[in-house]
Amino acid sequence: DEIMNHVAPLGNVYQAGTLSANPIAISAGIAALEQILANGFYDKLRVKTETFVDQINTHIKKKKYPMHLVSIGSIFWIAFSDKPVKTASDINPDSMKYFKEMHSQLLNNGIYLGPSGYEVGFISEAHTKKDLKKAAKTICKIIDNVMGH
């Protein structure tokens, strides 16, 4: 009571959510937690992401494009620079012209990335090795188109 009385309408803390206390949402949350708490879940996801990123970076290095992909865990992002990019302020705003063209071509080829070069991409458990191999191959093709080789 002491804590919950702080929540509206009794208290000054407003809490609302479309699926708050919805039994289906709670069941889905429990099922997701059971999956991610499985032994080795995050290690497998990290390896899957690294393999995907390495395929694309190998192509980029071979072609000597001034760009690279960076990853941590299941997150990756595209940096149109041959210098390390660790924060948004490291990104050259002029490089967004490359991202914009790449994003458009990727959409036309069935691959969706966030609409900004300042956003990251995510690999999930649902992505299969086959999915990621196909995506990496398509991304490499699009990089060739955008980078002009």
Side-chain angles (χ1 to χ4, degrees):
D1 280 352
E2 179 184 340
I3 292 171
M4 293 308 292
N5 283 332
H6 289 283
V7 178
L10 300 176
N12 61 357
V13 176
Y14 182 76
Q15 191 286 325
T18 303
L19 299 176
S20 294
N22 179 304
I24 294 172
I26 292 169
S27 295
I30 290 168
L33 287 171
E34 287 171 352
Q35 293 293 315
I36 65 174
L37 293 173
N39 192 25
F41 176 86
Y42 286 104
D43 287 333
K44 290 178 196 170
L45 195 55
R46 176 187 49 77
V47 168
K48 191 188 291 192
T49 304
E50 288 173 355
T51 301
F52 171 75
V53 167
D54 287 348
Q55 289 171 348
I56 299 168
N57 276 334
T58 297
H59 178 80
I60 290 168
K61 286 178 188 172
K62 181 178 157 188
K63 298 285 188 152
K64 297 181 178 161
Y65 296 140
M67 61 180 297
H68 62 287
L69 273 66
V70 181
S71 70
I72 184 168
S74 64
I75 300 170
F76 69 92
W77 62 95
I78 301 166
F80 289 93
S81 172
D82 49 10
K83 296 180 178 86
V85 174
K86 295 184 180 182
T87 67
S89 63
D90 294 334
I91 298 172
N92 178 350
D94 293 338
S95 71
M96 290 305 110
K97 65 183 176 192
Y98 298 114
F99 181 84
K100 183 178 176 183
E101 181 60 30
M102 184 174 166
H103 184 268
S104 175
Q105 289 188 40
L106 287 172
L107 280 178
N108 290 333
N109 283 274
I111 296 176
Y112 177 78
L113 292 177
S116 168
Y118 291 93
E119 293 185 54
V120 297
F122 302 93
I123 302 299
S124 77
E125 179 60 23
H127 291 111
T128 66
K129 288 181 182 181
K130 183 179 177 182
D131 294 333
L132 294 172
K133 187 173 183 177
K134 180 180 177 185
K137 184 177 179 179
T138 302
I139 290 169
C140 289
K141 180 182 88 173
I142 301 302
I143 289 170
D144 286 344
N145 292 345
V146 170
M147 301 308 285
H149 295 86

